[in-house]
Amino acid sequence: RLAVEGKLFNRAGQFRNRFTTKAGTADLNDMPRLQVDPGTEYRLVFQIDRKSMKTGFFTAAPGETTMDVQLSDLTPVSVTEKAE
């Protein structure tokens, strides 16, 4: 696990929340908690080694869920996206 800064955006590109992940021995009680609207599409963007990396869009499910993100599943944020 890495300790990194992250941001949550909706499909329209609107910033929704900022968070920090934990590293090492953090358990499920130490996971970032983000408020999302069920049925709405979101994307996470992480700052890793001074690079912005993003997830694909995902739809928030009702209730409390967890999400595992693998570095290999992330793609770089384009220059165009950074300017928006």
Side-chain angles (χ1 to χ4, degrees):
R1 292 193 222 174
L2 298 173
V4 297
E5 296 292 318
K7 295 178 183 175
L8 176 72
F9 294 89
N10 64 16
R11 167 112 17 216
Q14 297 169 317
F15 170 78
R16 297 297 305 269
N17 206 333
R18 180 183 314 266
F19 59 93
T20 302
T21 63
K22 306 223 179 197
T25 60
D27 62 19
L28 294 178
N29 294 323
D30 290 329
M31 294 172 66
R33 301 256 193 284
L34 303 172
Q35 294 288 358
V36 295
D37 298 321
T40 300
E41 289 187 306
Y42 295 96
R43 163 175 280 159
L44 297 171
V45 176
F46 299 95
Q47 288 299 121
I48 302 170
D49 294 330
R50 296 186 301 203
K51 296 177 189 164
S52 294
M53 303 291 287
K54 65 184 179 182
T55 65
F57 285 103
F58 59 91
T59 302
E64 190 170 310
T65 61
T66 61
M67 182 175 174
D68 290 322
V69 177
Q70 304 293 321
L71 185 58
S72 60
D73 295 334
L74 301 176
T75 58
V77 174
S78 71
V79 173
T80 305
E81 290 173 307
K82 289 180 185 176
E84 296 177 341

